[in-house]
């Protein structure tokens, strides 16, 4: 059974704090890792698709790194804003997406 | 451009009833996926279509669940004899082709009483 683990389960930070969370996945037969942001009552929004070991991707204040050899990816948010409050999901691609349970981020103004 | 749309957005039904959930993918996307998210879990794969055919239906939990995509665009997920455990958010996603970014709809929240 393929397992994708995310930590922490939830995170509460103050506006302006920088934060990061972890996604761990099987390191064998790697194809791609996807990151999504899911705000309540909205569609999950694609953030990054990462395919190569050592990949670093950036979108505004959000960035992600990938280590396929050890099976982990980090998502970083610099200077968190209240609008960053959402659940962040990572998903391992193996023909279909295998999701972790997500990290729920709350940013207090 | 228009994103993935799903109808209805919410559905309340009684145990034993039949329900249909609809997904309109992004125009031109050949790949279409259904996922289900139960409370406290991440989305779980149900079925993947490439064009009109179901390329992988290994995630369907049992034979009460069935999905079609007759013209390679709109898809319908059908659930027979619903059970309380079927209550979940049903998500649809589409992509230009296999392995590319999947774009999700807002989901259908199904509640079986």
């Amino acid at each position: 059974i393929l397992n994708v683990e995310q930590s922490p389960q939830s995170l509460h930070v103050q506006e302006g704090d920088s934060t990061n969370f972890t996604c761990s996945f099987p390191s064998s037969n790697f194809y791609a890792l996807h990151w999504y942001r899911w705000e309540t009552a909205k569609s999950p929004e694609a953030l990054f698709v990462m395919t190569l070991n050592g990949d670093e991707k950036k979108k505004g204040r959000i960035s992600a790194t990938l280590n396929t050899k050890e099976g982990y990816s980090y998502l970083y948010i610099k200077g968190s804003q209240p609008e960053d409050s959402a659940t962040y999901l990572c998903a391992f691609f193996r023909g279909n997406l295998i999701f972790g349970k997500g990290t729920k981020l709350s940013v207090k103004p | 451009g228009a994103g993935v749309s799903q109808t209805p957005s919410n559905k309340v039904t009684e145990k034993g009833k039949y329900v249909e959930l609809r997904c309109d993918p992004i125009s031109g996307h050949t790949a279409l996926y259904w996922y289900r998210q139960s409370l406290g879990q991440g989305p779980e794969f149900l079925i993947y279509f490439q064009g009109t055919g179901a390329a992988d239906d290994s995630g369907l939990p049992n034979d009460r669940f069935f999905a079609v995509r007759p013209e390679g665009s709109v898809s319908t997920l059908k659930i027979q004899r619903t059970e309380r455990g079927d209550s979940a958010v049903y998500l649809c996603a589409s992509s230009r082709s296999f392995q590319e970014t999947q774009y999700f709809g807002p989901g259908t929240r199904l509640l079986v009483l």
Side-chain angles (χ1 to χ4, degrees), chain B residues 50-104:
Chain B
Q50 182 58 48
T52 59
D56 181 358
D57 65 357
S58 61
L60 294 177
N62 52 58
D63 61 7
R64 295 186 298 105
F65 288 75
F66 189 70
V68 296
R69 195 185 185 199
E71 296 177 1
S73 178
V74 170
S75 176
T76 304
L77 178 66
K78 308 180 181 195
I79 310 174
Q80 298 178 318
R81 304 183 304 280
T82 50
E83 298 177 358
R84 292 195 181 88
D86 299 335
S87 297
V89 176
Y90 289 81
L91 291 164
C92 174
S94 70
S95 63
R96 281 191 305 182
S97 65
F98 187 65
Q99 290 191 13
E100 293 203 35
T101 300
Q102 294 182 25
Y103 296 90
F104 281 81

Side-chain angles (χ1 to χ4, degrees), chain B residues 10-88:
Chain B
N10 293 281
K11 176 73 178 177
V12 181
T13 191
E14 293 178 344
K15 181 175 178 295
K17 299 288 188 183
Y18 168 82
V19 296
E20 288 191 352
L21 312 180
R22 177 187 166 109
C23 172
D24 276 273
I26 293 171
S27 178
H29 281 195
T30 60
L32 186 146
Y33 302 80
W34 284 98
Y35 296 86
R36 173 170 78 169
Q37 190 205 26
S38 302
L39 199 61
Q41 303 297 315
E44 293 177 311
F45 169 74
L46 295 176
I47 186 169
Y48 154 56
F49 287 90
Q50 182 58 48
T52 59
D56 181 358
D57 65 357
S58 61
L60 294 177
N62 52 58
D63 61 7
R64 295 186 298 105
F65 288 75
F66 189 70
V68 296
R69 195 185 185 199
E71 296 177 1
S73 178
V74 170
S75 176
T76 304
L77 178 66
K78 308 180 181 195
I79 310 174
Q80 298 178 318
R81 304 183 304 280
T82 50
E83 298 177 358
R84 292 195 181 88
D86 299 335
S87 297

Side-chain angles (χ1 to χ4, degrees), chain A residues 53-65:
Chain A
N53 186 42
D55 243 359
E56 288 189 34
K57 298 220 171 178
K58 191 173 180 184
K59 185 176 182 178
R61 294 178 292 97
I62 304 177
S63 60
T65 61

Side-chain angles (χ1 to χ4, degrees), chain A residues 11-52:
Chain A
L11 199 51
H12 298 263
V13 301
Q14 289 292 134
E15 182 176 355
D17 288 350
S18 292
T19 187
N20 65 86
F21 9 100
T22 306
C23 172
S24 60
F25 52 85
S27 55
S28 59
N29 298 321
F30 178 83
Y31 289 100
L33 188 84
H34 296 228
W35 279 101
Y36 286 86
R37 173 170 61 199
W38 194 1
E39 294 179 65
T40 304
K42 294 187 177 179
S43 304
E45 175 196 354
L47 291 175
F48 306 113
V49 178
M50 309 185 77
T51 56
L52 297 175

Side-chain angles (χ1 to χ4, degrees), chain A residues 6 10 13 40 43-44 84 92 94 96-97 107:
Chain A
Q6 289 189 249
S10 64
V13 301
T40 304
S43 304
D84 296 329
F92 180 73
R94 180 73 67 83
N96 55 75
L97 291 175
V107 183

